[in-house]
Amino acid sequence: MTRHPVPGAEGLVFALPKGRILKECAPILAGAGIHPDPDCLDESSRRLRFGTSDASVDVIRVRSFDVATFVAFGAAQIGICGADVLMEFDYPELYAPLDLGIGACRVSVAAPEGVDLGDPSRWSDIRVASKYPNIARRHFAARGIHAEIVHLNGAMELAPGLGLSRLIVDLVQTGSTLRANGLREVETIADVTSRLIVNRTALKTRPEAVGAWIARFRAAIARRAEARAA
Amino acid sequence: MTRPGQLPDSLPESLVEFDRATDGGGEPPPSAALLPSGLRDVLPPEAETEARAIETMMGIFAAHGYDRVKPPLLEFEDSLFGGSGAAVAGQAFRLMDPDTHRMMGLRPDMTPQVARIAATRLRRAPRPLRLAYAGPCVLLHGATLDPERQVSQAGIELIGIDDPRADAEIVAVAAEALDALNVPRVSFDLTLPRLAAVMIEQAELGLDQRRRLLHALDRKDAAIVAREGGPLAGVLGDLLLSAGPVPRALAMLMAAPLAGEARRLAERLEASVQAIRARLPLATLTLDPVDFRGWQYHTGVSVTVYAGREQVGRGGQYVGGADEPACGLTLRPEALLRAAPARPARPRVWVPASAIGQAEALRAQGFVTIAGFDSGAACSDAPGDDIAEAARLGCTHILRDGQAWPM
């Protein structure tokens, strides 16, 4: 496989997720001493790569799932993404050395309100709509049920009502989207918070630089916890 | 009347053509150039660069007393996967031997083969036994980041001795081989693949918890290690974050509350670090005590070799055939050539057919000679055409008046 050299390979690229978690990241980034260009945290900006107060650190803003991919392939060395993404991809090249405690939610199974699903212990297979095909498949396989996955990227909540699937597996924060679409949460697969992730090779080959950033984030998290307790 | 699979007589000719061209509307015919995933043709100049790099490395191994062996590509699976080979069984293609009806495995790694040779045909050879090898291996699956399924290996095994200086020797010999190829930014990441398992064994955790904890340790998922670690949560959490440059990481490991076998592993690692430092005072050494990635046959101190972002080799202590202590290190020529600077190409001189007698002298001077042919439209004795012909064949020089002139 041919690989291309990355310009400025000595600098660090930090991958941040668009959307839900981005705003919650801001105080932790500031606590750790990363001050990205002001439009980085503004979702309406069309830029994808941003400078920071530190000339050797750039920030990229990508979809949550893509944070894991950029960091796993070493295109970015550090990133922030939900534990749901790590569970789904399970990239061996990703380390998750720090729980940031933000973006709390859960990956759950949901079913249509008022529909009798029968006794799940008698099921051989079930059709499930999800943006987490691996998590959903593993969850049901552990119970001896073959999950036939309908892989959707959004609007999972529509699937049971329109006959696309019987269940969905999705990220649930408050449950209001489920309720608004006539669904109820039947089982929590995992509680999820956001993690600081690092590329394995980067940690092995640039331990001082990467290790220093992990330590700064650890300190920032500890200070936040203390401030909350006080 | 049309039978199934036969075209009706009345089908228009254009539609018959279309149907043939598209194989009845199915997939287009595969390109002859398409190879199975993870396999590739190595072309000029890479193929020669790789061959030369392997010979350079083998030359250094030989100079340190490592005698070359050449095990076969295929062998019976019982012997290929016996002993330390069990760890590589999941990555081997298998096929049946039509003679004996026994299953054979295509080697995914050469170390177990060399261990087998040492324990069988070379069992009477004096110890410590030093063996070197080079050759291709085939893996069942490529990794996400490294999709290659055919990988070359070039390595050394030091068999019949358990000594920190033996660990240092294989690291030092590998370092010299990398140095000879001008591979930049080399670092050695030392690990103790059995440490985490031994600690978990000592803590008598349940099977499910053990499995979840080992997976979380492999991913350095601090949150899950804290949740699943039970009595080990604190110490494993600390060790997990201790990974990094040797002085600090080793100090943290030696200060950790380790007992019995775990303490013995840590002390052996400390001794190996000192022995490596004595031989390679300037090498970049990192330590990750709870890493256990890689072939699972390593039992003691292990090492992963990096060059910049490339993982170029791996090795360590293992138990050889007949329970002999051994250690070894395998380099991956493809990966280290991606990390190494390109070698300058040799000058190529175009030699007209009339002057072919002078080519040998040019080769003796280090030129690659490209012989011209007088027949064919592209060639003639007109000097202008010689230059065009030399350029067409990518020559850097042309032979004229008994001398090689730069183009």
Side-chain angles (χ1 to χ4, degrees), chain B residues 61 69 92 96 102 107 115 159 162 185 190-191 205 217 237 242 245 289 326 354 407:
Chain B
F61 298 161
V69 290
M96 198 179 68
R102 287 174 67 191
R107 67 179 179 213
I159 296 152
D162 177 1
R185 295 191 291 148
L190 301 169
T191 61
L205 301 182
L217 278 172
S242 75
S354 55
M407 298 280 291

Side-chain angles (χ1 to χ4, degrees), chain A residues 39-87:
Chain A
D39 57 336
C40 173
L41 301 174
D42 169 11
E43 291 274 356
S44 64
S45 167
R46 307 185 78 126
R47 283 212 291 162
L48 298 171
R49 184 169 180 163
F50 305 86
T52 67
S53 48
D54 182 337
S56 67
V57 180
D58 271 8
V59 167
I60 57 169
R61 205 178 60 190
V62 297
R63 290 168 47 162
S64 181
F65 275 75
D66 296 341
V67 167
T69 305
F70 273 82
V71 179
F73 281 80
Q77 289 73 40
I78 314 186
I80 292 176
C81 75
D84 54 319
V85 175
L86 299 181
M87 282 174 68

Side-chain angles (χ1 to χ4, degrees), chain A residues 79-83 86 96 98-100 193-197, chain B residues 221 223-224:
Chain A
I80 292 176
C81 75
L86 299 181
L98 192 57
D99 186 346
L100 297 175
T193 46
S194 294
R195 306 294 169 82
L196 184 75
I197 58 172
Chain B
D221 192 325
I224 296 180

Side-chain angles (χ1 to χ4, degrees), chain B residues 85-163:
Chain B
V88 307
Q91 268 287 26
F93 277 95
R94 289 166 168 85
L95 53 162
M96 198 179 68
D97 179 11
D99 288 345
T100 59
H101 290 198
R102 287 174 67 191
M103 291 306 285
M104 304 186 295
L106 192 51
R107 67 179 179 213
D109 182 40
M110 290 176 79
T111 299
Q113 294 189 299
V114 178
R116 173 183 58 72
I117 291 174
T120 56
R121 267 176 271 283
L122 293 182
R123 66 182 179 279
R124 298 217 173 90
R127 269 42 178 176
L129 180 63
R130 290 176 168 89
L131 297 175
Y133 50 90
C137 297
V138 179
L139 305 174
L140 209 46
H141 304 288
T144 331
L145 297 190
D146 214 353
E148 283 143 359
R149 291 199 288 175
Q150 179 175 329
V151 289
S152 297
Q153 292 192 336
I156 48 175
E157 306 295 331
L158 178 44
I159 296 152
I161 184 162
D162 177 1
D163 189 303

Side-chain angles (χ1 to χ4, degrees), chain B residues 85-390:
Chain B
V88 307
Q91 268 287 26
F93 277 95
R94 289 166 168 85
L95 53 162
M96 198 179 68
D97 179 11
D99 288 345
T100 59
H101 290 198
R102 287 174 67 191
M103 291 306 285
M104 304 186 295
L106 192 51
R107 67 179 179 213
D109 182 40
M110 290 176 79
T111 299
Q113 294 189 299
V114 178
R116 173 183 58 72
I117 291 174
T120 56
R121 267 176 271 283
L122 293 182
R123 66 182 179 279
R124 298 217 173 90
R127 269 42 178 176
L129 180 63
R130 290 176 168 89
L131 297 175
Y133 50 90
C137 297
V138 179
L139 305 174
L140 209 46
H141 304 288
T144 331
L145 297 190
D146 214 353
E148 283 143 359
R149 291 199 288 175
Q150 179 175 329
V151 289
S152 297
Q153 292 192 336
I156 48 175
E157 306 295 331
L158 178 44
I159 296 152
I161 184 162
D162 177 1
D163 189 303
R165 286 168 300 179
D167 304 341
E169 176 173 316
I170 57 160
V171 171
V173 173
E176 190 179 324
L178 294 171
D179 202 35
L181 295 171
N182 296 318
V183 177
R185 295 191 291 148
V186 172
S187 65
F188 296 92
D189 188 46
L190 301 169
T191 61
L192 281 173
R194 279 185 61 238
L195 179 67
V198 165
M199 291 170 70
I200 290 169
E201 185 81 21
Q202 288 171 342
E204 296 177 348
L205 301 182
L207 227 79
D208 259 2
Q209 190 181 2
R210 222 176 265 209
R211 189 179 49 74
R212 287 194 299 267
L213 184 54
L214 282 171
H215 186 265
L217 278 172
D218 185 56
R219 303 294 196 263
K220 292 211 192 306
D221 192 325
I224 296 180
V225 170
R227 196 180 70 209
E228 301 283 348
L232 297 174
V235 56
L236 286 177
D238 287 348
L239 289 179
L240 179 137
L241 291 170
S242 75
V246 149
R248 178 175 160 275
L250 188 61
M252 284 180 75
L253 174 65
M254 299 318 288
L258 304 175
E261 175 70 0
R263 162 86 24 210
R264 198 194 61 75
L265 283 168
E267 282 167 359
R268 174 53 193 275
L269 175 74
E270 190 181 31
S272 295
V273 167
Q274 280 168 6
I276 296 170
R277 272 268 164 266
R279 283 196 70 156
L280 297 172
L282 298 176
T284 305
L285 297 184
T286 57
L287 169 60
D288 191 345
V290 289
D291 183 314
F292 46 86
R293 199 69 70 81
W295 297 125
Q296 303 286 317
Y297 51 68
H298 289 126
T299 52
V301 178
S302 297
V303 59
T304 308
V305 190
Y306 289 93
R309 282 166 59 168
E310 293 285 349
Q311 185 184 309
V312 298
R314 175 174 274 158
Q317 284 180 280
Y318 60 94
V319 178
D323 288 339
E324 267 190 301
C327 61
L329 198 148
T330 308
L331 293 171
R332 293 188 43 193
E334 289 108 348
L336 61 89
L337 287 176
R338 285 195 295 263
R343 293 155 63 100
R346 282 200 286 165
R348 282 160 74 91
V349 59
W350 190 80
V351 181
S354 55
I356 201 71
Q358 299 166 43
E360 193 175 345
L362 289 168
R363 285 194 292 272
Q365 291 169 40
F367 280 102
V368 170
T369 58
I370 306 295
F373 296 102
D374 287 336
S375 60
C379 312
S380 85
D381 284 330
D385 285 357
D386 279 2
I387 291 172
E389 182 65 359

Side-chain angles (χ1 to χ4, degrees), chain A residues 1-7 9, chain B residues 309-310 338:
Chain A
M1 192 175 72
T2 312
R3 278 179 214 160
H4 303 285
V6 181
Chain B
R309 282 166 59 168
E310 293 285 349
R338 285 195 295 263

